[in-house]
Amino acid sequence: MKNVPFASLLVVCSLLIGNQLGRAADPDHADQPMIPPAEALSRLKDGNSRFIAGNMQHPHDSTDDRAYMAKNSYENAGTVSLGLTSEQAAKRRAELTKSQHPFAIILSCSDSRVPPELVFDEGLGDLFIVRVAGNVLNVEGLGSIEYGVDILGARLIVVLGHQNCGAVDAAMKTVAAKSNAPGHIQSLVTAIKPVIHSTPKGDLDTMIKANVKHVVDALRASTPILKTRVDSGDIQVMGGYYTLDTGAVTFLEAK
């Protein structure tokens, strides 16, 4: 028997373990139909319309939970949103202990005023969400998005920016002052700085949308997983802009 170099054995073992990890992460994925990007986008738009109208259905929450929240909420006093029965909600939670099949991936800002599950009126297991101030893209975020696509089967990625984004505003002011932000906040400035340099006369709103486009372009060009699938039309990456005043999400150019 020939001696096999130890390094080669390590490579083979790593590949095998990685493959098994991917399968174990979502063992039932092959049995679940993947939702096409157009249908996923339609669901997000419908959910946002419900959110704007104040007619949220809170999918996968029980009617008992919704009734309690309505009774004890100043803003929702006297209203009860739609939902599942307690038994149906429990069944949904039990299903999600086995696997998850989110229909869309949202890369959004960490801002407390823009929670994607509420903005799009979705429930448990519906959205795979990555949140970071300024909706910037880092290695960990990219890996999470790739996981959502390659392992969980989501085919729509939305980069969601929003009105009055504090991270973009702070980056603009820091760059203009030719200074550095304190601590690790500077990493956000560094991520947004290329957008500021490429849009020198832009106001805050223009810069926020340019930052969304910058991240969208980076995701579309990302190899080895995303670019090929974007080019083939298998997945779509698009931007979105949330208006704090109205609650509306405007979807930007798709590809």
Side-chain angles (χ1 to χ4, degrees):
M1 180 177 179
K2 296 182 179 180
N3 292 327
V4 179
F6 181 69
S8 298
L9 285 175
L10 284 178
V11 172
V12 172
C13 289
S14 298
L15 290 173
L16 289 174
I17 291 171
N19 190 41
Q20 291 301 317
L21 177 62
R23 293 178 181 177
D26 195 5
D28 300 322
H29 174 68
D31 298 329
Q32 295 289 330
M34 290 189 293
I35 296 178
E39 182 180 343
L41 178 59
S42 179
R43 286 180 61 171
L44 292 180
K45 288 181 176 180
D46 289 345
N48 184 238
S49 294
R50 294 193 301 270
F51 174 74
I52 295 169
N55 187 32
M56 298 171 70
Q57 295 181 3
H58 300 283
H60 314 137
D61 285 349
S62 73
T63 50
D64 292 342
D65 292 338
R66 300 315 314 158
Y68 176 83
M69 290 180 66
K71 181 179 179 180
N72 291 278
S73 169
Y74 175 78
E75 293 182 351
N76 297 320
T79 67
V80 180
S81 300
L82 299 176
L84 306 178
T85 64
S86 294
E87 291 77 12
Q88 290 171 326
K91 181 181 179 181
R92 174 61 174 170
R93 290 193 296 270
E95 290 172 350
L96 290 171
T97 63
K98 302 174 184 178
S99 63
Q100 60 170 317
H101 308 284
F103 70 85
I105 300 167
I106 313 293
L107 171 57
S108 71
C109 183
S110 300
D111 196 297
S112 63
R113 300 167 292 179
V114 195
E117 295 94 333
L118 297 183
V119 168
F120 294 116
D121 190 26
E122 298 299 338
L124 295 176
D126 290 333
L127 301 177
F128 192 74
I129 296 172
V130 178
R131 300 191 70 177
V132 60
N135 43 270
V136 301
L137 187 64
N138 56 25
V139 174
E140 293 79 9
L142 177 58
S144 299
I145 291 169
E146 290 178 341
Y147 183 88
V149 169
D150 204 44
I151 304 300
L152 301 181
R155 296 177 59 192
L156 176 66
I157 303 169
V158 176
V159 180
L160 185 62
H162 67 92
Q163 179 186 18
N164 294 341
C165 180
V168 175
D169 185 43
M172 291 175 66
K173 291 175 179 176
T174 301
V175 171
K178 297 182 180 180
S179 62
N180 290 322
H184 295 290
I185 299 174
Q186 179 60 30
S187 66
L188 301 174
V189 175
T190 300
I192 299 171
K193 186 181 293 186
V195 180
I196 297 172
H197 288 324
S198 64
T199 318
K201 296 183 179 180
D203 58 12
L204 177 58
D205 200 55
T206 299
M207 203 70 69
I208 291 168
K209 293 176 181 177
N211 183 52
V212 168
K213 183 180 184 303
H214 175 73
V215 177
V216 167
D217 289 344
L219 286 170
R220 289 174 179 170
S222 176
T223 57
I225 292 176
L226 300 182
K227 185 179 186 303
T228 301
R229 300 184 69 168
V230 168
D231 292 344
S232 70
D234 181 52
I235 66 172
Q236 284 190 359
V237 183
M238 64 191 312
Y241 179 84
Y242 175 77
T243 302
L244 297 175
D245 298 331
T246 64
V249 173
T250 301
F251 288 95
L252 310 176
E253 175 217 3
K255 180 178 179 180

